[in-house]
Amino acid sequence: MIIQKSATPRIATFDPQNFSFGDTFTDHMIICEYENGKWGDVKLIPYGPLPFTPAMMGLNYGQACFEGMKAYKDDEGEVFLFRPEKNFERINKSASRLAMPEVTEEMFLGGLKALVDMDREWIPQGVGTSLYIRPLIFATEEVLKARISNKYMFAIVATPAKSYYTEPVSVLISDFYSRAASGGVGSAKAAGNYAASFYPTQLANQQGYEQVIWTDDSTHEYFEESGTMNVFVRINDTIYTPPTSEKILDGVTRDSFIHLAKRRGIEVRIEPVSVKKVIEAQKDGSLKEVWGVGTAVVTSVFRALGYKGEKLELPTLPLEESFALSLQQDLVNIQNNKSEDPFGWRMKVGKEVLQDA
Amino acid sequence: MIIQKSATPRIATFDPQNFSFGDTFTDHMIICEYENGKWGDVKLIPYGPLPFTPAMMGLNYGQACFEGMKAYKDDEGEVFLFRPEKNFERINKSASRLAMPEVTEEMFLGGLKALVDMDREWIPQGVGTSLYIRPLIFATEEVLKARISNKYMFAIVATPAKSYYTEPVSVLISDFYSRAASGGVGSAKAAGNYAASFYPTQLANQQGYEQVIWTDDSTHEYFEESGTMNVFVRINDTIYTPPTSEKILDGVTRDSFIHLAKRRGIEVRIEPVSVKKVIEAQKDGSLKEVWGVGTAVVTSVFRALGYKGEKLELPTLPLEESFALSLQQDLVNIQNNKSEDPFGWRMKVGKEVLQDA
């Protein structure tokens, strides 16, 4: 790895009590370039602009995918990644579906650890705070031909993240717009999937809903995802979530919730979740909770479902009765090294790069 | 418009008889930046890199769309655009679907004319050659949040293009992969649509097919597009093409072919085209031609259709018997100012910018 420390670090100006999530970047980033059929050296360099023209294929043809993950600092100041090998697997699945080269474990996990180690002072300490990390791969060749690119960049950038806590939200069950086609790229974290969701989400916002529950595009009878998250439904004391497929993202938080629910002895059914079943359960009172899960907020609890002009209210459960909040707490405790780690999900980030550099 | 002429033009090194399409860029480009809710000045500047970080939203969330169009130089050296108002309309439809700001006519048509005028020496003269022009809009804000960007760039870049002539190709009718979801972004020239098509196309290539005929994602029973083109089918002496929808691009070449076919008195039916009907017509000999149309190659004639393990051959018709080739010739003659312009499709590009600059 080639390491070039920032000559003008901004860390002294960073106030962990008062910063803007998402556009406050740490002092460094990882980059690695692909050409002539192979990846070059991994470089840890100061965060900043690189020279790209508007002919860059990643911008023209959308050959770009990313991951979202976090690093956590415990009470002793030790830093941990959470199941990074899952993100490593998934970025390569996304890359394959978009006909992009896979990245190596050295690039991905080695790059992650080096960046997090180098910029560990940027990780806020305290319940729920973390460092949000964004690995991505994008096509960099400058060619106006709609074909597979021959040049790519792998990069990792990071921003401090505030507490995951969010208010319960209202969500609109989609009966026209959709985020994924059968035989499409819904299961990849493809850049284009997100842009496609913005306009329908904006329409939902205008109707008073914070997010969209995406349904299958051909019948709109089955739940797929919610916003940019996987979705869970609790009817009586059973949790339901749709199976992953080429249309549904194989979320790391989704998988973790399934493990944690089973550990608590909660029945989890991974099967198609029909809109009809959820609406009927709301009507007869057996629908206890619906929530989304993802890296950014861990859990987004829903307080109402909009469907064909009707707004169906959901109960507000206290922590001790809520599966969503209990499982969230189980997960956050593991992530922040406040509990045992029964599944071996934490990966400690040692102090290596910073001392070498 | 702010005009900054290149101090180191490369035009003297350009050989119109020997250049590489797609990665030979003209000396200039147009850029215009959007922030605080409005577009800034349109700038005509030297083609080259701009400073972007890997946190750019266009790369992370795929908020990016483009147009493909051409400028043609006639025997007298006069330069024409072809129906540029159609591309102007469409880029704004794409932008709206991706929750991006629309561009103004001054930016789009004014920018196009200025760039083509300034770089008119880059346009090769001769049958079928042209200047391929790429207007695009992409999100430039640096934020790691999956939401609508607040900053964008509109840009126009251009590359000289060789003769449109291509050999007939074999195409594979898709029975699993798809390019568009119902309620999705198929009708937008969204960057992500192209990346999503690369892997299925690569699989088709490995089976000996140059392109994929995309079918509807829920049943795969109806034709949608072919490769990056709209598709036409001729059974006996009637032409069929699927209606545009939120899944099918409203192609300028498609629309032009429909007009030109009607002018020749050919019956054109704009209706769903079922795979079954096409296969049956091939079996009984009434399937005369199948072809794709688009700006880049005008027409791509198909010589075989692959379907569920079978390769169905198509006749090879000479120009005088082929609707595909006759209509292509009609169109190219209008584009190159070699025939009348009954529909008012040509737009002459005057010599203005170059003299002012």
Side-chain angles (χ1 to χ4, degrees), chain B residues 89-126:
Chain B
E89 276 170 31
R90 192 171 59 185
I91 200 169
N92 279 339
K93 279 173 67 178
S94 297
S96 297
R97 180 59 182 84
L98 298 171
M100 303 166 81
E102 295 191 2
V103 297
T104 66
E105 191 171 319
E106 184 199 344
M107 288 164 62
F108 191 90
L109 293 177
L112 268 177
K113 284 191 227 173
L115 178 63
V116 170
D117 184 15
M118 177 69 97
D119 285 343
R120 62 171 63 230
E121 290 176 58
W122 285 91
I123 310 175
Q125 208 163 12

Side-chain angles (χ1 to χ4, degrees), chain A residues 21-22 47 50 52-53 59-62 64 66 97 134 142-145 176 178 181-183 191 195-196 199-200 217-218, chain B residues 21-22 47 50 52-53 59-62 64 66 97 134 142-145 176-178 182-183 191 195-196 199-200 217-218:
Chain A
F21 168 68
Y47 174 83
L50 301 168
F52 296 122
T53 80
L59 288 174
N60 284 269
Y61 305 117
F66 69 89
R97 180 59 183 84
R134 168 61 52 82
E142 291 171 37
V143 180
L144 302 181
K145 284 180 179 174
F176 175 74
S178 52
S182 296
Y199 176 70
D217 78 310
S218 58
Chain B
F21 168 69
Y47 174 85
L50 301 168
F52 296 122
T53 80
L59 288 174
N60 284 268
Y61 304 118
F66 70 87
R97 180 59 182 84
R134 168 62 51 84
E142 290 171 37
V143 181
L144 300 180
K145 284 180 179 174
F176 175 74
Y177 289 104
S178 51
S182 296
Y199 176 70
D217 78 310
S218 58

Side-chain angles (χ1 to χ4, degrees), chain B residues 88-241:
Chain B
F88 171 58
E89 276 170 31
R90 192 171 59 185
I91 200 169
N92 279 339
K93 279 173 67 178
S94 297
S96 297
R97 180 59 182 84
L98 298 171
M100 303 166 81
E102 295 191 2
V103 297
T104 66
E105 191 171 319
E106 184 199 344
M107 288 164 62
F108 191 90
L109 293 177
L112 268 177
K113 284 191 227 173
L115 178 63
V116 170
D117 184 15
M118 177 69 97
D119 285 343
R120 62 171 63 230
E121 290 176 58
W122 285 91
I123 310 175
Q125 208 163 12
V127 176
T129 63
S130 59
L131 182 71
Y132 181 84
I133 309 166
R134 168 62 51 84
L136 71 157
I137 313 173
F138 53 96
T140 54
E141 194 180 359
E142 290 171 37
V143 181
L144 300 180
K145 284 180 179 174
R147 59 137 170 89
I148 295 169
S149 177
N150 291 312
K151 297 181 186 175
Y152 298 88
M153 179 172 282
F154 168 67
I156 312 179
V157 294
T159 174
K162 296 181 184 185
S163 171
Y164 53 85
Y165 181 75
T166 53
E167 290 287 334
V169 297
S170 298
V171 295
L172 183 65
I173 299 173
S174 184
D175 58 7
F176 175 74
Y177 289 104
S178 51
R179 72 171 283 286
S182 296
V185 296
S187 71
K189 280 188 88 77
N193 290 345
Y194 295 81
S197 74
F198 292 165
Y199 176 70
T201 303
Q202 192 176 41
L203 294 181
N205 294 163
Q206 287 162 4
Q207 293 177 59
Y209 295 94
E210 281 90 349
Q211 291 174 25
V212 173
I213 290 195
W214 303 104
T215 50
D216 68 291
D217 78 310
S218 58
T219 69
H220 297 290
E221 287 174 10
Y222 292 92
F223 278 27
E224 290 191 339
E225 297 189 17
S226 173
T228 59
M229 299 181 291
N230 289 113
V231 65
F232 284 83
V233 171
R234 173 185 170 190
I235 297 175
N236 292 320
D237 286 339
T238 302
I239 291 176
Y240 299 83
T241 193

